[in-house]
Amino acid sequence: YILKTIAWIMGIIVVAWIALWTYVELNEPRLIGKITSIIQEKTHGEATIGGASVSLISTFPVLSLQLSDVVVRDSLFSIHHKDFLRAKNIYLGIGLRALLRGKTEFSRISISNGSLNLITDSLERSNDYILRSGKKVGSRPTSSVPVIMLNNMLFSFENPVRRKWYQLDFRKFKAVFTTINQLTTIRIGTSIHVK
């Protein structure tokens, strides 16, 4: 019975992976366009995605939509000439339970091999608006990602007006969000080199 159960679970994962892979292969340009427009709407800047595919091995047992060569430039790029985000790979994990229910909500986001820059210029214009939700106090979030992971990401924070310049090398970072009765708990495990 245990072997049959394991075989059924593995069969479901393989079928789901094949279905997701087929969907992504047939709709890659449209999918990239949709994700790019969502990013550009949030950042008021430019976003480029090199390619999209499906990953099972890198994020097993979670099925993931893999975005490669992602670059996000905020609206102040023409001033500071640094990308807000540059990543070799971004994995958008899709939980098996959500997939079986017909939903495509992301269970985790994993960003690897790149850099993230928060910059304030001499006139105190900043690109940190991207990280703000813009929701009123007391409003409930419409969606959340339970797990956020960073691997080999260099985070830079610059503010010349306040004479601040920090660099953090996130070798590994994992934040697990749990919300119960509007109370969110964050469990973090990390390995960071502070430069």
Side-chain angles (χ1 to χ4, degrees), residues 43-45 72-77 80 82 84 127 129-130:
T43 61
H44 303 289
V72 178
R73 292 178 175 169
D74 58 83
S75 58
L76 300 174
F77 177 79
H80 53 65
K82 288 188 180 179
F84 170 74
N127 65 355
Y129 68 88
I130 294 172

Side-chain angles (χ1 to χ4, degrees), residues 34-47 129:
K34 188 174 181 180
I35 294 170
T36 302
S37 66
I38 291 169
I39 293 171
Q40 290 180 165
E41 183 182 326
K42 174 70 177 170
T43 61
H44 303 289
E46 296 179 17
Y129 68 88

